[in-house]
Amino acid sequence: MNTINKTMKKTIQLITISTLLSQSMAVSANTDINPEHKGRNDYFAKSYQPLCSLPTKTIATASTLEEASQHEFILNKELGLSTQLNNQGEAYIQLAIKEWNEKFIVGVTPKTHVSMAGADIQGADIVNLQCAEQSQYLTHLNTHEWGSYTLKLTGKPNQLVKVQITTTAQ
């Protein structure tokens, strides 16, 4: 009987140690911040903070590149949209860029990829650490001319996504 009690006690200790170790690793994973994300968040804090609470308007976005030109959004200082990706996990949003050499930041739902033909990507998949909940990924874009540009979003089929855009002077 004494041997069984010792064995059970050791098993309980191992389970306890294992549980504490896994919890410690989970906490560590949540607090390990990519140094590049931290640096960008520090530098662009004034631009990133408004994206956390930028209101969104629910819209139906284009499912193809050709459809995107039928509904254009003017990018002034900021723009907030909520939409659903199509069955292929894509959505297209046509933006009217009014300035030369426009720099802007696109915040999206995590695991949503942002691309834009004719624009330079200056950073992608950056976690917005300025928000209470870190549920926004950022992409920095730079256009060189004024005109129409199509923002392409890709993710999971039929995924609901938020798109929050702000221009930046930095």
Side-chain angles (χ1 to χ4, degrees), residues 62 64-73 92-95 148 150:
T64 66
L65 182 60
E66 293 76 27
E67 291 174 6
S69 63
Q70 296 174 15
H71 194 194
E72 187 169 63
F73 296 89
Y92 298 85
I93 301 170
Q94 180 123 349
L95 298 175
S148 295
T150 305

Side-chain angles (χ1 to χ4, degrees), residues 4 11 18 20 24 31 36 38-39 49 108 127-128 134 151:
I4 292 173
T11 302
S18 175
L20 290 173
S24 172
T31 56
E36 180 183 344
K38 176 78 172 101
Q49 288 168 355
V108 293
V127 177
N128 189 348
Q134 294 166 4
L151 188 69

